[in-house]
Amino acid sequence: MSQRPLVKAIGVISGTSMDGIDVSIVETDGNTVVRPGPGRTFSYPEDLRKTLQALIAEPARAQSEPLQDLEQAVTDAHIDAIRRFMTETGIPARDVSLIGFHGQTVYHRPEVRYTRQLGLGERVASALGIDTVYRFRHADVASGGEGAPFVPLYHRALASKLAQPVMILNLGGVGNVTYIDGDTVIAFDTGPASALLDDFVLRRRGLSFDENGQLAASGKADATLVAEFMSNPFFDRPAPKSLDRQDFHARAKGVEALSDADGAATLAEFTIQSVIASLRHVPRAPQRWLVTGGGRRNAHFMKRLHEELMVAVDPVEAVGWDGDFLEAQAFGYLAVRSTLGLPLSLPTTTGVPHPMPGGELHRAA
């Protein structure tokens, strides 16, 4: 039985796809007790989203420019999202003890011990009058960790009563997995998930994503290209390991010669094969896969995964989780852990030398 008091914490994050700012709330002891609350997604102002996308496409700028105005704008968009969330859900500020503010990742290069998330924790705490934890990944990366994925300990808390081993697969812009078997938690990025396909469909069709995987399902994957993509040494690298959203873009240019449908099918199959390759890095084949992220709504992805893995592959909603807000909830949960001095990452999740606390707390003025 948990002896720690329960804390209500709001978590807020915008992922690499930048399709919106996710806000949710959890009540937790920072350990095994987790009571997730409602969540909402709020769009970035369109001009801000375009500015961020342009920045991410220029890594040298994202790494070294001061970007003060942009960082302030990103922070203010998150503050606005949190305010709207509390208004829409009827949660008063006095009921919230903590905010876990992830910020917007614009550059992530753990091999040079550098990660950059735009966002000013002090500004959030001051504007909302709620203590705020931010800079979650910095201690991990500074100590030689990959700095991602960062949700596994939240997955472990949620999955404590499920049959194990279980694999949680997050199909966002980049794919990542959390393998949970009792005290064993292994996590790593698997490869591209929706990022390559989304960018391809945008270029070819002017659509932001391949709805339900229909375009990919209508084409034929180029097996030679898929095999070429899968020959990348990343897939044999031992876990833990992480990727940037852009890491495979240059290598995926081979699909440009294909039709829209075949190009989409080839990129989708690359995603599927990269997920299957994750089994090289876990001790036992999981009995079940639970899929979160936008990719769980892609019927083509889900069908192909089930065909290849030959065990249950279900959206996380099948066990009562809310796949739209797991990451936002996780940063609320991690904010509580941060204030307790508990680890946010482990050697088996990010490659840190020892279980690593992290986050920086700004008190409300």
Side-chain angles (χ1 to χ4, degrees), residues 76 96 120 149 190 306:
D76 290 348
V96 182
L120 303 163
T190 56
H306 183 67

Side-chain angles (χ1 to χ4, degrees), residues 171 192-194 266-276 301 305:
L171 292 175
S194 302
T266 301
L267 292 174
E269 193 57 26
F270 179 25
T271 294
I272 300 310
Q273 294 305 321
S274 65
V275 169
I276 292 156
F301 278 170
L305 286 168

